[in-house]
Amino acid sequence: QVQVVESGGGSVQTGGSLTLFCTVFGTTGSIDDMVWYRQTPGKQRELVAAATSRGGRGDVDYGDFVKGRFTISRDNGKNMVVLQMNSLKPEDTGVYYCNAAGVRDYSGDYMMGDYWGQGTQVTVSS
């Protein structure tokens, strides 16, 4: 059974930094996309950062609001993705979710499902 586990949230002041970690358990196969989303007060869930390995590429993408403040990186051997967040602002406050899509099993076959973690709280105070 695939399980997505996030950690690293917390509380910081404006301008501070946090590092979020996400590990996917339950498969030794590869994962196409590992993505961070967030749910901030009064807004719909939005993409924060994505790291894809589809077709052997190592592409990354960020939400427009990131503007160079966050960096996503993957450790494919550990099925882990890390989100380094710097220059945090109060509007970054919310619950951050990790999503794994295109998860393969040990034989390389895709597993059914789109996997989400339970979320980790990030609070930035002014």
Side-chain angles (χ1 to χ4, degrees):
Q1 182 177 356
V2 175
Q3 188 176 13
V4 179
V5 179
E6 303 119 333
S7 63
S11 297
V12 295
Q13 292 187 326
T14 298
S17 298
L18 283 172
T19 305
L20 304 185
F21 301 88
C22 170
T23 304
V24 179
F25 297 96
T27 181
T28 57
S30 64
I31 300 171
D32 286 349
D33 303 315
M34 296 189 76
V35 186
W36 285 99
Y37 291 86
R38 73 182 188 183
Q39 182 82 53
T40 56
K43 292 187 177 181
Q44 292 186 332
R45 190 172 294 189
E46 60 186 344
L47 183 143
V48 178
T52 183
S53 63
R54 290 178 187 269
R57 306 191 318 271
D59 292 339
V60 297
D61 192 19
Y62 297 95
D64 290 342
F65 59 86
V66 170
K67 296 182 180 178
R69 299 182 296 132
F70 300 173
T71 302
I72 189 170
S73 59
R74 287 182 63 158
D75 183 335
N76 291 324
K78 298 179 180 178
N79 280 346
M80 174 188 289
V81 66
V82 179
L83 182 67
Q84 176 64 46
M85 303 189 295
N86 300 323
S87 302
L88 284 162
K89 306 174 183 179
E91 51 263 43
D92 293 317
T93 294
V95 180
Y96 285 66
Y97 297 91
C98 181
N99 170 257
V103 179
R104 298 177 187 258
D105 64 17
Y106 69 96
S107 65
D109 294 329
Y110 279 113
M111 303 174 71
M112 294 295 292
D114 190 17
Y115 303 98
W116 291 86
Q118 291 189 323
T120 185
Q121 177 71 42
V122 170
T123 302
V124 185
S125 58
S126 57

